[in-house]
Amino acid sequence: MIEKIKTLLREMETLEAVSAEELETLRIKYLSRKGEIASLMNEFRDVAAGQKRDVGILLNELKEKAQERINGLKERFEQAQTGSCPCDLTRTAWPAPSGTRHPLSIVRQEICDIFGRLGFSIEEGPEIEDDWHVFSALNFAEDHPARDMQDTFFIRHRPDVVLRTHTSSVQTRVMERRQPPVRIICPGRVYRNEAISYRAHCFFHQVEALYVDGEVSFADLKQALLFFAREMFGAHTEIRLRPSYFPFTEPSAEMDISCILCGGKGCPFCKHTGWVEILGCGMVDPNVLDNCGIDSRRYSGYALGMGIERITNLKYRVKDLRMFSENDVRFLNQFEAAY
């Protein structure tokens, strides 16, 4: 039996396999419950008492060497298999497509950057607001159409709580807690009770700006608007201001820019007028300043607001407003190189 064990020990020294299947065959031959080493273990019971110690030592050595050799060959096959793989198995599935920023996010950031260069800081506020900050503090009359159910989303059983219809509510909150100078820009999502179509949606995004300080004039507003238009649409962009009406500004105006497609010559995009409307603006009504705890006799200010979707449409010629919220990857992938 000792000679048989020594023969197997010599076999272990040169044991080789050319494939994982052949290695499994060798494992079964030597280490399975019916293999050669297990058979020797059964014969060990019949060994004479004087030889049990020497045979036992050799038998344990054989078992350990066989296990060691089989495991070594198995590890070598696994390493070879891993080394031939063209990817890192610890990584996620490859290739993993990279995401892109949403066009509205791209334009929003660009707007904020432009006003940031004018010294405006970003402020944000809640989307669920009370009537005071959305309407009353902003000089809306009690019977103003914007307060109707047809135009505003009201919270059920809470007639004084609404989904904000503009980010002007952020301006009122800031003015209540801070004395001038106030120079802020307020981007965010707003809600209107409108039918969804290619040109309107029940939610959209706005950016509004507010500057309140001593002796702020309409000339300051005009210069800020001209700077914004030329930074956003090009150095040759012209602006014009048309009289308008907003409850929270007096005087009020709407701003047009020279058509970026025809350069002001007239085309179907600008309805052959050479101008495209982009935002509303005006001097802050003294009543709004007083409502927010700012002395209108000492301070004045201007405010302006624009729809981010409107600006995005002008820059990227998106004809259907619904595409911004449908998350169609084919649409979003077009903006991969836009930032």
Side-chain angles (χ1 to χ4, degrees):
M1 185 174 181
I2 290 178
E3 287 302 320
K4 190 174 181 179
I5 293 174
K6 289 181 178 180
T7 300
L8 289 176
L9 281 170
R10 288 193 293 269
E11 287 182 15
M12 292 304 113
E13 295 290 342
T14 60
L15 191 66
E16 289 292 343
V18 296
S19 65
E21 291 78 10
E22 185 177 340
L23 178 63
E24 179 64 13
T25 301
L26 292 175
R27 187 194 68 79
I28 294 172
K29 176 183 178 181
Y30 292 109
L31 295 175
S32 67
R33 283 187 287 181
K34 294 183 180 181
E36 295 191 19
I37 294 177
S39 178
L40 289 174
M41 290 288 187
N42 291 332
E43 294 178 16
F44 180 72
R45 290 175 297 189
D46 301 328
V47 174
Q51 294 183 323
K52 275 189 179 291
R53 181 176 179 276
D54 294 335
V55 173
I57 291 173
L58 287 173
L59 196 54
N60 286 334
E61 183 183 350
L62 173 63
K63 184 177 182 181
E64 289 176 5
K65 188 162 285 190
Q67 189 70 59
E68 212 173 279
R69 188 63 179 173
I70 296 293
N71 288 343
L73 291 171
K74 182 179 180 182
E75 186 176 342
R76 190 171 70 185
F77 283 125
E78 289 176 348
Q79 289 176 349
Q81 186 177 10
T82 303
S84 65
C85 182
C87 62
D88 182 357
L89 296 179
T90 63
R91 295 182 59 186
T92 56
W94 185 90
S98 58
T100 61
R101 290 177 61 194
H102 195 281
L104 294 180
S105 297
I106 296 171
V107 173
R108 166 181 162 153
Q109 188 60 54
E110 189 173 355
I111 295 171
C112 291
D113 289 344
I114 293 171
F115 280 96
R117 296 198 290 275
L118 291 173
F120 287 77
S121 60
I122 296 176
E123 291 284 346
E124 296 182 340
E127 295 182 7
I128 300 177
E129 267 288 10
D130 56 62
D131 178 273
W132 169 258
H133 291 99
V134 176
F135 296 124
S136 298
L138 291 167
N139 210 33
F140 280 82
E142 290 293 331
D143 57 351
H144 194 280
R147 295 176 182 264
D148 293 342
M149 292 290 291
Q150 291 81 7
D151 294 290
T152 302
F153 288 108
F154 289 84
I155 303 301
R156 182 176 295 180
H157 308 307
R158 292 292 303 274
D160 60 330
V161 179
V162 301
L163 297 182
R164 66 182 182 189
T165 59
H166 45 202
T167 54
S168 301
S169 57
V170 181
Q171 299 176 5
T172 57
R173 286 186 174 274
V174 172
M175 287 190 288
E176 283 179 340
R177 68 173 188 265
R178 186 192 308 174
Q179 285 297 303
V182 175
R183 194 192 298 256
I184 60 171
I185 185 169
C186 312
R189 180 180 295 174
V190 298
Y191 305 85
R192 303 276 176 88
N193 193 0
E194 297 184 9
I196 298 175
S197 67
Y198 76 96
R199 57 183 298 177
H201 211 292
C202 61
F203 71 86
F204 53 99
H205 301 78
Q206 280 187 341
V207 175
E208 299 196 25
L210 172 71
Y211 177 37
V212 179
D213 204 348
E215 300 182 357
V216 176
S217 68
F218 203 94
D220 298 320
L221 169 61
K222 184 177 179 181
Q223 287 303 311
L225 294 173
L226 183 61
F227 177 81
F228 165 73
R230 290 183 172 174
E231 289 293 305
M232 176 63 72
F233 299 107
H236 299 292
T237 305
E238 298 295 333
I239 68 170
R240 74 174 183 182
L241 298 172
R242 295 179 288 105
S244 186
Y245 167 76
F246 303 108
F248 38 86
T249 54
E250 179 59 39
S252 303
E254 291 181 349
M255 187 184 94
D256 303 332
I257 62 169
S258 54
C259 180
I260 58 178
L261 293 185
C262 65
K265 297 178 181 178
C267 67
F269 182 77
C270 62
K271 299 178 181 178
H272 301 283
T273 64
W275 298 94
V276 180
E277 177 191 340
I278 66 167
L279 59 82
C281 59
M283 300 300 294
V284 179
D285 192 296
N287 291 334
V288 175
L289 296 176
D290 292 333
N291 288 339
C292 295
I294 295 177
D295 189 350
S296 61
R297 294 168 298 180
R298 292 181 55 194
Y299 299 106
S300 58
Y302 65 71
L304 60 96
M306 70 193 83
I308 299 179
E309 282 85 348
R310 176 67 170 167
I311 305 299
T312 308
N313 282 339
L314 290 173
K315 286 183 69 69
Y316 300 122
R317 320 288 192 269
V318 180
K319 297 181 179 179
D320 192 334
L321 201 82
R322 293 169 293 191
M323 298 180 72
F324 290 128
S325 56
E326 289 178 348
N327 292 326
D328 189 328
V329 175
R330 296 169 299 177
F331 169 71
L332 298 178
N333 283 342
Q334 298 177 55
F335 301 90
E336 188 172 1
Y339 58 93

